[in-house]
């Protein structure tokens, strides 16, 4: 995952940003979603960013559930969600 994260950051031109990924559960991402967005639901990815700091929370539960119908392995779904989160940071 670390190598993938580095490649994504380089390819999306986040070379100078501090990027962190939190892999969590539906229960925890739901708390984050409620606290910061006032939505009482779980989601797959949440991104917080400013120019030099990017924090991305990913739900492993959501990733597992979404991977199967898409015919993806969990690693592949997580890669998509990591990219999705970084694209949110791009705006």
């Amino acid at each position: 995952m670390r190598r993938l994260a580095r490649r994504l950051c380089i390819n999306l031109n986040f070379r100078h940003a501090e990027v962190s990924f939190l892999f969590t559960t539906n229960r925890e991402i739901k708390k984050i979603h409620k606290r910061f967005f006032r939505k009482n639901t779980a989601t797959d990815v949440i991104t917080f960013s400013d120019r030099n700091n990017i924090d991305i929370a990913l739900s492993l539960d959501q990733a597992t559930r979404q991977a199967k119908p898409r015919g993806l392995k969990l690693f592949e779904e997580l890669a998509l969600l990591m990219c999705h989160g970084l694209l949110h940071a791009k705006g």
Side-chain angles (χ1 to χ4, degrees), residues 5-88:
R6 275 193 208 114
R7 283 186 189 158
L8 287 170
C9 289
I10 289 168
N11 290 337
L12 293 171
N13 201 25
F14 285 113
R15 289 181 183 95
H16 303 292
E18 182 74 27
V19 179
S20 66
F21 292 93
L22 169 68
F23 296 93
T24 190
T25 63
N26 270 353
R27 182 178 178 188
E28 292 304 312
I29 208 161
K30 184 177 177 180
K31 289 178 188 177
I32 296 167
H33 207 201
K34 186 174 182 179
R35 179 176 177 195
F36 293 99
F37 299 97
R38 293 187 171 93
K39 295 186 179 182
N40 195 26
T41 59
T43 188
D44 52 3
V45 60
I46 296 175
T47 302
F48 299 96
S49 66
D50 63 27
R51 292 197 125 164
N52 297 314
N53 296 302
I54 302 165
D55 295 312
I56 299 171
L58 302 157
S59 170
L60 291 171
D61 297 327
Q62 290 291 105
T64 300
R65 194 170 79 226
Q66 292 172 182
K68 190 173 182 177
R70 294 178 183 177
L72 300 175
K73 296 178 183 174
L74 179 57
F75 177 83
E76 295 168 323
E77 181 68 21
L78 288 171
L80 284 173
L81 293 177
M82 290 168 74
C83 187
H84 181 157
L86 287 168
L87 289 172
H88 275 296

